[in-house]
Amino acid sequence: MGVGLGTAKLPHRLNPIRTFVDAKVKWVRDPYLDFAVEREKNLHQALSFKNQILFQSESNPSKSKSLSLSLASLLKPSLNLSTSSSKFFLRYPSFFSIFHPASALPPRVKLTPALLSLHYQESAIHTSLPHRSDAVNRLSRLLMLTGATRLPLYLIDRLKWDLGLPHNFVGSLLADYPDYFQVCEVEDVSTGRKELALELLSWREELAVSELEKRTNQSKRIAFPMCLPKGFELEKKVKDWVEEWQRLPYISPYENGFHLSPNSDQAEKWTVGVLHELLWLLVSKKTQRDNLFCLGEYLGFGSGFKKALKHHPGIFYVSNKIRTQTVVLREAYRKDFLVVKHPLMAMRYRYIHLLNKMPKTNRRKSLVVE
């Protein structure tokens, strides 16, 4: 799309046209980060089912907090399930309970009391003033990273889980901040169709400071933390290139870098800065690679994000676990643990514990009549 950042172009003098050295940077498996990804297997899908069941009950209060299996099966493609919805529910009896209504209607699925208890605790976090302020700030910073301070809702929806936004964030969060956000229309340049987008109404200068700038208390000579896994060694010519690349001026991801030659090392350092800041905004400091590529393509980075992941394995790790590719910000983890754990991540670990817990009386193959 080629949108520029909202601030004026910066007169950065050092813009050498040097491309990455002709050397292959091999991918090396990191078992700790793989485990950090793999332990969340099926969590997103399970919580999406939970939210759908609760949404159905809210839209029709006369119905019990349950969902028909036939309706649940329609959600399988959107949730990327590898099995049928009924088998999915039976696999996690601490989350879901399948029952036959007494009226002989088709079987339905409901949430267990233990899952409902965790849901209400999570809801208390979402509705707390500190978390709402935190979510609004992170969403504002995401929109500021786009430069145009607006982003199609479908792209925000892709990142909703990773940003820690509530299920119905437009109605439950944004509606309370009319001075910050508005829903508008943008044109998709590839199709010409209008898309609903979220726009930040005014630039918030106090938020336009990247995580790296906060840590170093400076804005120009900043190097990215490198966390290569044990036993991994860069070729000498790659290592020399990275060391020189690290000494280039740091351009804030909230500044305009599109005036830089796209094939320059300086442009790549700015692109890495945008990608680094984006991942830092996420509560788990990771997201599916396709989410980043879709966002990067929309913002006009082209293959910039892809090159950044390939060239800088000490900053970003790409895991191949759980039937997808997940990009992890290395410095955010010590082994498989988050260095800074967001309250929502603490809740997700509790969900994971319950998800994998088997009841003392296993009723996986029984259907209760109610």
Side-chain angles (χ1 to χ4, degrees):
M1 182 174 179
V3 297
L5 292 195
T7 54
K9 290 183 177 181
L10 299 175
H12 293 291
R13 297 285 190 266
L14 294 177
N15 187 21
I17 310 299
R18 293 172 54 249
T19 56
F20 189 72
V21 293
D22 184 19
K24 184 178 182 180
V25 179
K26 64 179 180 178
W27 177 87
V28 176
R29 181 173 177 267
D30 188 320
Y32 292 111
L33 295 182
D34 277 344
F35 179 72
V37 171
E38 194 170 24
R39 71 176 159 210
E40 296 186 24
K41 180 180 180 180
N42 292 333
L43 177 65
H44 190 190
Q45 290 92 331
L47 294 184
S48 295
F49 272 125
K50 176 205 63 142
N51 292 332
Q52 188 62 39
I53 291 171
L54 292 171
F55 174 76
Q56 291 288 331
S57 65
E58 290 171 1
S59 59
N60 192 348
S62 63
K63 296 285 187 180
S64 63
K65 289 183 174 63
S66 64
L67 189 69
S68 71
L69 289 186
S70 58
L71 182 57
S73 66
L74 298 179
L75 300 175
K76 177 182 175 180
S78 62
L79 295 181
N80 193 28
L81 289 183
S82 60
T83 185
S84 67
S85 57
S86 59
K87 288 182 179 178
F88 184 85
F89 297 139
L90 290 171
R91 183 183 298 169
Y92 300 113
S94 292
F95 255 50
F96 306 105
S97 175
I98 297 177
F99 67 97
H100 271 303
S103 57
L105 292 173
R108 302 179 68 85
V109 60
K110 66 178 182 178
L111 309 180
T112 65
L115 178 56
L116 282 171
S117 176
L118 290 183
H119 167 77
Y120 294 136
Q121 293 175 52
E122 181 190 14
S123 296
I125 295 175
H126 280 299
T127 56
S128 69
L129 188 58
H131 175 75
R132 288 167 67 83
S133 176
D134 174 64
V136 165
N137 286 346
R138 278 184 286 111
L139 187 54
S140 298
R141 291 167 72 182
L142 172 66
L143 295 174
M144 290 165 66
L145 283 176
T146 72
T149 63
R150 66 176 68 94
L151 203 58
L153 283 173
Y154 77 85
L155 283 175
I156 298 176
D157 199 59
R158 290 187 71 126
L159 292 167
K160 175 177 67 177
W161 164 261
D162 302 304
L163 283 165
L165 298 178
H167 178 60
N168 178 26
F169 70 95
V170 175
S172 62
L173 179 66
L174 304 187
D176 293 336
Y177 294 87
D179 295 336
Y180 285 62
F181 307 104
Q182 72 174 6
V183 176
C184 61
E185 283 189 340
V186 294
E187 182 176 324
D188 188 319
V189 294
S190 61
T191 64
R193 293 181 301 184
K194 297 289 186 179
E195 298 276 5
L196 286 178
L198 185 67
E199 180 177 19
L200 184 67
L201 292 176
S202 60
W203 186 267
R204 299 179 60 188
E205 194 63 38
E206 75 279 10
L207 296 181
V209 181
S210 71
E211 177 63 23
L212 288 181
E213 289 173 308
K214 290 178 187 175
R215 276 190 240 156
T216 59
N217 199 28
Q218 59 174 309
S219 59
K220 296 306 174 191
R221 297 295 174 183
I222 297 177
F224 293 93
M226 301 283 284
C227 310
L228 290 168
K230 185 177 180 180
F232 181 81
E233 290 291 341
L234 291 173
E235 292 184 30
K236 185 180 184 305
K237 56 183 176 180
V238 177
K239 187 176 181 180
D240 291 344
W241 179 89
V242 170
E243 289 177 353
E244 186 173 347
W245 176 85
Q246 287 273 39
R247 289 193 288 269
L248 291 173
Y250 173 86
I251 304 175
S252 169
Y254 298 101
E255 296 177 358
N256 186 342
F258 278 112
H259 63 290
L260 299 167
S261 171
N263 291 325
S264 68
D265 287 349
Q266 185 68 78
E268 182 164 310
K269 186 162 185 179
W270 176 66
T271 300
V272 169
V274 173
L275 196 52
H276 180 281
E277 183 73 358
L278 174 60
L279 285 167
W280 196 266
L281 292 180
L282 309 180
V283 295
S284 64
K285 314 307 181 200
K286 57 182 171 59
T287 188
Q288 288 188 23
R289 190 187 66 167
D290 286 349
N291 292 342
L292 296 179
F293 286 179
C294 285
L295 182 61
E297 188 67 31
Y298 178 82
L299 296 180
F301 283 94
S303 62
F305 282 3
K306 185 176 182 179
K307 287 195 298 182
L309 299 182
K310 179 182 178 181
H311 292 174
H312 302 283
I315 303 173
F316 311 110
Y317 177 66
V318 181
S319 173
N320 294 318
K321 294 296 182 179
I322 60 175
R323 306 186 305 276
T324 187
Q325 290 188 306
T326 303
V327 179
V328 185
L329 184 61
R330 281 191 182 276
E331 71 189 78
Y333 285 81
R334 291 296 176 267
K335 293 187 175 181
D336 58 299
F337 296 101
L338 277 165
V339 176
V340 179
K341 189 186 297 181
H342 190 280
L344 282 179
M345 289 307 298
M347 282 302 310
R348 287 180 188 176
Y349 294 154
R350 296 180 67 184
Y351 276 125
I352 291 169
H353 177 73
L354 179 63
L355 190 68
N356 296 316
K357 183 179 180 180
M358 294 302 296
K360 292 181 180 179
T361 303
N362 191 343
R363 298 184 178 182
R364 293 170 65 115
K365 296 184 179 180
S366 63
L367 296 181
V368 179
V369 177
E370 296 186 358

